[in-house]
Amino acid sequence: MGQKPITFLRQVISLCVNPDLLNNESFPADARERARRILQGCKGGSLGSYSDSVGVEVIRKDIAAYIERRDGFPSDPDNIFLSTGASDAIKNCLHLLVAGSGKTRTGIMIPIPQYPLYSAAASQLDAHQVNYYLNEDNNWALDIAELERSVKEARQHCTPRVLCVINPGNPTGQVLSKENVQEIIKFAAREHLFLMADEVYQDNIYAEGCAFHSFKKTMMELGPEYSTLELASFHSTSKGYMGECGFRGGYMEVINMDPQVKLQLKKLVSTKLCPPVSGQATMDCVVNPPQPGEPSYESFIKEKTAVLKSLAERAKLVAETFNSIEGVTCNTVQGAMYAFPRIALPQRAVEKAKSLGQAPDGFYALQLLEQAGICVVPGSGFGQREGTYHFRTTILPQPDKLKIFMDAFTAFHNKFMKEYAD
Ligand SMILES: Cc1ncc(COP(=O)(O)O)c(C=O)c1O
């Protein structure tokens, strides 16, 4: 997507891969120091060796220190599990929680619209997918009444054990308010659910007045009544300002997990030997970036701020443009990397799609691809309320390309609406 990698991060990884460069003074001293530290934690001082299955110890310590700085509450390195991107940790965690048969089979509560990893994992594990709908009329916030409806209905045919929450949201781009996070925690505690908090977009917050409230911090602040909730939180090198998805770095922090269960989790992750050590080193750069006074600090902050500022501008541009087009409405893109606009498809377009055996939004997306060369994902891929149609697009293209995209999209949409006008 044309995003320039963060220099410091690539320098540390280069040095880890090729330690011959460690004394090369064209690399800043802090990058060399970080690389040395990571390599000292690796067996044989090399990225090419297996690490512990849960990850390199020094990196787990750095992650715990990052979480402590972020939340202001202690974090134990023994609760940190490095992973092959967040996906791997999410799948491992779900694997651990699925059990039973018939009415005792695990139900996994998933937001709709959702990131399809969750439905795919539920299906792979033969668990019950329990849908709860996000409230489009309230900027995709999470309604507690809807969670209650959903869990009550699910209890008739399965045993809901897990509540998955994505904050900031994919594909919906919402950032949950602190009050909303508090209510969700209280709901999970009331219903004895294990809470899985997908927080991979924690650095991607754009809208004024929005802030990232981690589930762990919010839970700890709520006091002893809730501080025993079982929780797993996920983070990744793939998103944020770094976008290093190919390195496959990620981790989960588990909180209040029964020691016997944690032992099973360790056994489970050990079947995969270890996550890529290069990905672990990338995660270390994310949680242990240059500090004030270090040689790379100024340039690192400049690069990081520029990426996030540009993403915020694009988030605004995309939602504003969609809202200026007749028949398209789009909630504010408060965070993450996507817009999920709603399209008011004319009845004739819906009928045409049905005659072709296609989902109406799938038909729209295919036409958009064929006529304008623009690729979006139809809302039916993420789930949506019956009778509503959406698509997901990303705010990642660079501003010049995004402008071309928005103009081409507007022209296509107006033509499509005219062609199928009721
Ligand atoms: C909400 C969410 N969770 C998890 C992931 C997985 O990310 P990765 O496995 O690259 O860390 C993604 C990727 O798009 C995502 O959007």
Side-chain angles (χ1 to χ4, degrees), residues 206-229:
Y206 316 122
E208 225 168 277
C210 288
F212 172 68
H213 303 285
S214 80
F215 271 90
K216 174 165 179 205
K217 178 178 186 186
T218 312
M219 177 189 96
M220 297 305 284
E221 285 172 352
L222 279 173
E225 198 183 337
Y226 297 101
S227 61
T228 54
L229 181 77

Side-chain angles (χ1 to χ4, degrees), residues 152-229:
K152 195 166 157 217
E153 255 178 52
R155 285 203 198 286
Q156 290 171 19
H157 52 266
C158 67
T159 303
R161 291 197 174 90
V162 198
L163 171 62
C164 302
V165 181
I166 309 174
N167 179 45
N170 176 8
T172 37
Q174 83 283 20
V175 176
L176 299 180
S177 70
K178 188 165 194 154
E179 294 68 36
N180 214 182
V181 175
Q182 287 172 342
E183 286 174 335
I184 295 163
I185 291 168
K186 290 179 186 172
F187 167 81
R190 245 185 350 262
E191 298 291 338
H192 306 292
L193 296 169
F194 187 107
L195 186 53
M196 284 177 55
D198 184 332
E199 300 181 322
V200 299
Y201 295 102
Q202 57 191 266
D203 282 318
N204 298 99
I205 312 279
Y206 316 122
E208 225 168 277
C210 288
F212 172 68
H213 303 285
S214 80
F215 271 90
K216 174 165 179 205
K217 178 178 186 186
T218 312
M219 177 189 96
M220 297 305 284
E221 285 172 352
L222 279 173
E225 198 183 337
Y226 297 101
S227 61
T228 54
L229 181 77

